[in-house]
Amino acid sequence: MRSYNPDLTPPWKRSAPVPEVPAEADLVVEEVSTGFCGAVIRCEAGTVTLEDRFGKHRVFRMEPRGFLLEGRVVTLVRPSASPARPTRTASGSIAVPGARARVARAGRIYVEGRHDAELVERVWGDDLRIEGVVVEYLEGIDDLPAIVADFAPAADARLGILVDHLVPGSKESRIAAQVTSPDVLIVGHPYIDVWEAVKPSSVGIAAWPTVPHGQDWKTGVCRALGWPENTGAAWRHILSRVHSYKDLEPELLGAVERLIDHVTVP
């Protein structure tokens, strides 16, 4: 005869089921027993590796109810080997499954630094490959007139340039005014650095801090937020929180879209 062992635990003491969440790359979670918070960088059989905003890595077992996601208890599971295709790119454009990258155009988009280039790739990368647009970074724009002259823009080789802190009276605006070619479009955003173009809420802060004049802005941000003064690790943390255009400020979105139109529209 089969024995019957009913669950006599009162309903109010039973653990409620929790959702299972695939441990996709860049998913930010908190491990419940240690409080370690970080982005998923690797998922292997039974374990997940997290990287916190300081660049520190820790490996955890994917135990049931072992993590917090946006304050809710979840169970991390290994991602599916063949995830569903997104219907839209990170920029909000309609995705084109199986589309091959176009041969690079003669035109280019220049941005000031590596962080700018990585952020543009993060959100517009799929679109740029389909359009055949290459993004290069300049490490500053002090020599912009000479750089533009060397590129030799033309109607079939247009140049788009994204400039940080392009506001009236700034050094950047004075340099940009020296470029007058009709085949060059220079647009920018009002932020001192492209970090600020990421919405504070996406990074998990109330606002980007004000850094005293004369102090390195990125280092000052790390100090004000209590982060280690490792700007590389800080940027990796910020970039890991950007998943789509919704994580960026409208001023940057509009500027990049204008540049893409400029170098692609006949």
Side-chain angles (χ1 to χ4, degrees), residues 10-144:
W12 60 89
K13 290 188 178 182
R14 296 176 189 167
S15 297
V18 300
E20 292 187 346
V21 177
E24 302 281 2
D26 297 331
L27 179 74
V28 177
V29 294
E30 178 182 338
E31 202 275 332
V32 294
S33 63
T34 62
F36 186 89
C37 182
V40 173
I41 62 170
R42 189 179 306 109
C43 181
E44 298 171 329
T47 66
V48 62
T49 303
L50 304 182
E51 180 185 59
D52 71 5
R53 66 174 184 265
F54 309 130
K56 182 178 179 181
H57 293 184
R58 287 192 63 177
V59 180
F60 298 99
R61 292 191 62 80
M62 293 194 294
E63 303 284 0
R65 307 174 64 88
F67 298 86
L68 294 176
L69 175 61
E70 298 179 348
R72 296 187 306 145
V73 176
V74 299
T75 296
L76 289 187
V77 296
R78 196 167 185 176
S80 169
S82 49
R85 294 183 182 273
T87 57
R88 290 190 176 273
T89 67
S91 71
S93 301
I94 296 175
V96 184
R100 299 180 62 184
R102 177 174 173 168
V103 174
R105 294 174 182 267
R108 291 286 187 274
I109 291 178
Y110 286 166
V111 297
E112 283 202 48
R114 180 170 61 85
H115 294 179
D116 306 69
E118 290 176 345
L119 189 59
V120 170
E121 164 62 27
R122 184 82 164 191
V123 175
W124 289 275
D126 290 338
D127 302 354
L128 293 169
R129 279 181 284 278
I130 290 176
E131 294 290 350
V133 178
V134 175
V135 176
E136 301 178 11
Y137 67 90
L138 304 174
E139 297 184 346
I141 63 163
D142 289 350
D143 298 322
L144 188 61

